[in-house]
Amino acid sequence: MVQAMVMTAGRSSGGPQRLLVLSADMGGGHEATAAALEQAAAGVWPGVEIQRLDTLDVMGPGIGRLFRRIYVDNVEHTPWLYEFFYAQLWRHTWFAAASKRFTGSWSGRRLIDRIDRFDPDLIVSTYPLGSAGLAWLHRHRGLQQPTAAYVSDIAPHPFWIHGSLGVNFVVHDAAVTLARACDPEAVVEVCALPVQAAFHPGSRAEARGRLGLAPDALVTLVSCGAYAFGDVAQTVGTLLGASERVQVVAACGRNDETRTRLEGLGVPAHRLKVLGWTDEMPVLVRASDIVVSNAGGAIALEAIASGRPLVMFRPIAAHGEANANLLVVAGLAELCTDEDQLDAYIRAAVRGRGALHEMGERAGELAGRGSSGDSLRRVAGSHPSGRGRRTWRVRPSDAFFLHADTPQRVQEVGGILELDHTAAAGLTVEDVRATIGPRVAGLPILRRRLVGSARLGWDMSGAADLTTHITAVEASHGADAACDDYWSESLPSDGFPWGVRLVQSPDEARTVLLVKTHHVLGDGISLIGLLDRLLDPAPGDPLEERRPAPGGAAHGSGRSGIRHGLRQGRLVAEGLGSLAARSIGRWAVVDSAQSSRRLIATATVDEARIRAIASASGCRAHEVVIAVVAHALARTLTDAGLVDGTLPLRAMVPVARRAPRLDRVFGNWTAAVTVDLPLGPMSFRRRLEEVIGQLRARARRGEPQGAFVAMELLARLPAPVLPIVARTIYTSRFFSTIVSYMPAAHGDRWFAGARVGSLCPVVPLAEGIPVTAGAIVQGGTVGFGIVVDDALRASGISRAATSRAVADTVREAELEVLR
């Protein structure tokens, strides 16, 4: 199970941009704690993007169901086996350590890709196998984000405490010694009760009125967890038999058999109220005089948070007994081991409620100690204590672009941001550093330093020197020429593959901000995400584009999941076949000398004009954009005599392969379709029809799926082979240009008080490919960027003519399509 949400009240300030929560559907306690932490994080860091992963689902298909079945069977049928295993973990440290290493290696290896996809800058775990995986990643894979484990019971379990995590949180001082005994190297701290804000002390009478419970009865809530372990019917019978003044509310969770059995007793509603899974637990707890449980877990913490007395009755084996004993030691619960003790306790409570009041006061005191937000802030500033020597791996599909580098074809992507010169004329490099510097801490993509050679890795323990990576020039020779200069230089050699340059051209009344990263950090969508974090929205902008699409994070299950898997498998097979068949075709190659200098032509068009053409043509905006590029390139290249128009230009068109809307991530997650852009003389309408037909046909044949799988497979070739393959495939042997289309922010964006007027992309060249093009839709404009090797100047290519070709094409399209 994956859950994701984006709070859009505002930008997270001084805290994490993305929080990953590891939990598991194993009972309800781990998920309840996860929900509480998410609620607290959204309050502490408005705008933080949160994703929750079910650790068991991540560990493999069917693992969650298997582990839940084993757990339920052990508790219900073989409690002696559960007790034996639990005892051995405490008795033999080597057994506990070996078990944690095994499960940590298992879950940790499966978490790597999920962490890469979401790129969190803070990770917390409420489930022991998730915590073990994080600890393993710290020791063996160089995970460097702050991490924490939250123990969702009062008693720590040997599986739950890890010295390699930044901090391990328990909920009571009485648990600290036990937690440190689990791992003497662990950082252990006491945190506020990790329960949702709805659980709090409140009016008992008001809650009873809302639920229709007797105002003067001794209301006893029986909650034995999501699985309703134990003989709940016998517990209810003992409570009802203790006094006529007792009203029992039985919350049976997901145990429909127990609920049906209790309903079949025929007890009148004024004595017994039976519930299945319910969202009314906060009100039920406030309405009760006593909460009875046999496991502890979430209901115990929720009762304490609500200031209600707790009775542990016949606790389940192993960890349940440990919880009961520690609750009693802490003065937060009574322990009744049989029916006679429970009967006597309830009879005493009916006669006088002084003891209940005293226990409730102790619970209320604990509930008032701080908030979960305090502990989350502590995690954000923590550092793992058990880092290994290894660094976080470079994903193979990211490393591919490092290997595709040549001295004259460095794979650097970027954007050219035209700022409102009236507001930006006084900007200095110090202003840019002051604006970007504080945001680097919340942007893991800018904290990654590439290290190693044979084994490439990311080190995030340091920070880039802003004086090296953020520079400025006064462009006496023109802002456009300064852009060419910047993309003709390599990034700093300190391993942080990004850079920013402020270009001021007073004579032209222009201020331009240039941002570039190496392709190893991510694709064009990653660049858009980075820019979105570096820029500011207009006041009142809700940042809707950051919100996940409804249902976008869900995974298919059952038959529908199988059907989806089979369909995707078919598309992958068809896509691979289509790519293989097309690789033997013929296409135009722009033959040219190669240099390390670039010539960048830009053009900006109102998005409304593109959308009008698309609407009149019955197609999508991105199809019109690609046709505009094709028409402009055909004119430019044929006029320069670089192509004769008889063969098409084979274009690789990137296609995002991310979850909908969750595109603010690190790494390369794009595939591509191959489109043959016609170069011969023809109307724009005809060229548009050709582009539409090919784009849709390639998508139907599964080329995006096939290309993505092919890239993943190729990138996993042995290290000595991969550079050779990368420099063979990523060349004119397989395509002759790249045409990229990327949607960015819907609303206006600002930098250091200056509005961003336009944003044009810079798509890197490849071996034998001297021309690439891209377009970004941002804030009501479409920014086109066409990059050519400076060597093409000798053939008559010029910046002005190339920019003019784009503008002329849009006008021609309007005349043909809109007339």
Side-chain angles (χ1 to χ4, degrees), residues 141 364 421 453 487 549 554 566 679 683 731:
R141 291 295 185 271
H421 185 69
S453 53
W487 260 274
L566 291 173
L679 295 178
S683 67
T731 69

Side-chain angles (χ1 to χ4, degrees), residues 132-259:
L134 294 178
W136 184 87
L137 288 171
H138 280 309
R139 291 192 306 271
H140 299 283
R141 291 295 185 271
L143 179 68
Q144 293 171 328
Q145 286 94 330
T147 57
Y150 281 80
V151 176
S152 54
D153 275 318
I154 190 168
H157 187 300
F159 258 29
W160 292 10
I161 306 298
H162 298 271
S164 296
L165 298 180
V167 60
N168 299 261
F169 285 114
V170 295
V171 299
H172 197 278
D173 294 329
V176 172
T177 301
L178 288 173
R180 288 177 176 157
C182 296
D183 190 332
E185 296 182 356
V187 176
V188 179
E189 295 185 10
V190 179
C191 69
L193 295 172
V195 299
Q196 294 194 67
F199 291 96
H200 58 79
S203 170
R204 186 178 281 110
E206 181 182 338
R208 290 187 183 186
R210 175 176 168 180
L211 297 171
L213 300 176
D216 57 349
L218 184 78
V219 175
T220 305
L221 173 63
V222 178
S223 177
C224 299
Y227 300 121
F229 287 133
D231 193 340
V232 179
Q234 187 177 35
T235 303
V236 169
T238 301
L239 293 169
L240 293 173
S243 172
E244 288 291 327
R245 294 175 56 188
V246 173
Q247 183 178 23
V248 177
V249 178
C252 302
R254 300 188 180 99
N255 194 324
D256 293 334
E257 182 180 343
T258 295
R259 179 175 55 81

Side-chain angles (χ1 to χ4, degrees), residues 252-506:
C252 302
R254 300 188 180 99
N255 194 324
D256 293 334
E257 182 180 343
T258 295
R259 179 175 55 81
T260 302
R261 182 181 175 188
L262 291 177
E263 290 172 341
L265 296 177
V267 178
H270 73 278
R271 296 295 316 281
L272 175 62
K273 185 180 182 72
V274 182
L275 302 171
W277 187 264
T278 176
D279 294 326
E280 294 281 354
M281 286 304 293
V283 184
L284 287 167
V285 174
R286 277 198 299 278
S288 66
D289 292 294
I290 302 172
V291 177
V292 178
S293 179
N294 64 357
I299 186 58
L301 300 186
E302 290 162 358
I304 295 169
S306 303
R308 296 301 183 255
L310 180 65
V311 173
M312 298 294 292
F313 175 61
R314 282 190 170 176
I316 63 175
H319 198 209
E321 293 180 356
N323 279 323
N325 292 332
L326 198 57
L327 284 164
V328 172
V329 169
L332 297 170
E334 282 289 339
L335 174 61
C336 297
T337 58
D338 57 35
E339 285 80 4
D340 291 340
Q341 288 184 0
L342 182 61
D343 180 84
Y345 184 83
I346 297 300
R347 288 176 184 272
V350 170
R351 291 192 299 270
R353 305 188 186 183
L356 297 183
H357 181 71
E358 183 180 343
M359 190 185 300
E361 284 190 335
R362 285 196 295 270
E365 290 174 4
L366 181 60
R369 296 181 185 174
S371 68
S372 293
D374 297 332
S375 63
L376 286 170
R377 290 189 187 95
R378 164 72 175 89
V379 180
S382 69
H383 298 283
S385 58
R387 288 179 181 165
R389 294 181 179 178
R390 296 184 63 173
T391 53
W392 188 254
R393 67 162 196 177
V394 176
R395 294 176 59 250
S397 55
D398 299 332
F400 179 91
F401 291 98
L402 276 176
H403 298 307
D405 269 347
T406 67
Q408 296 177 330
R409 294 290 187 262
V410 180
Q411 298 302 301
E412 294 174 354
V413 300
I416 300 172
L417 291 79
E418 189 83 29
L419 304 182
D420 174 16
H421 185 69
T422 302
L427 276 183
T428 65
V429 68
E430 288 76 18
D431 296 327
V432 178
R433 291 168 185 161
T435 301
I436 294 177
R439 304 183 185 191
V440 171
L443 288 167
I445 191 172
L446 297 187
R447 300 201 312 271
R448 294 176 183 264
R449 182 169 67 92
L450 194 63
V451 294
S453 53
R455 185 189 295 275
L456 292 168
W458 293 114
D459 175 16
M460 289 190 290
S461 61
D465 180 358
L466 297 187
T467 61
T468 300
H469 287 262
I470 301 177
T471 57
V473 297
E474 184 168 321
S476 58
H477 57 320
D480 290 331
C483 294
D484 296 344
D485 293 341
Y486 191 51
W487 260 274
S488 301
E489 304 169 5
S490 294
L491 286 164
S493 59
D494 58 1
F496 292 97
W498 63 272
V500 175
R501 176 165 292 176
L502 175 68
V503 175
Q504 292 280 14
S505 180

Side-chain angles (χ1 to χ4, degrees), residues 49-69:
E49 189 172 324
I50 304 172
Q51 185 179 94
R52 187 193 309 179
L53 291 180
D54 188 306
T55 307
L56 295 176
D57 286 349
V58 172
M59 290 172 70
I63 296 300
R65 183 181 301 175
L66 174 63
F67 276 39
R68 284 188 287 271
R69 184 72 263 165

Side-chain angles (χ1 to χ4, degrees), residues 114 131 149 213 240 359 364 425 445 564 757 788 804:
R114 309 306 283 272
S131 304
L213 300 176
L240 293 173
M359 190 185 300
I445 191 172
H564 176 75
V788 299
R804 190 167 54 250

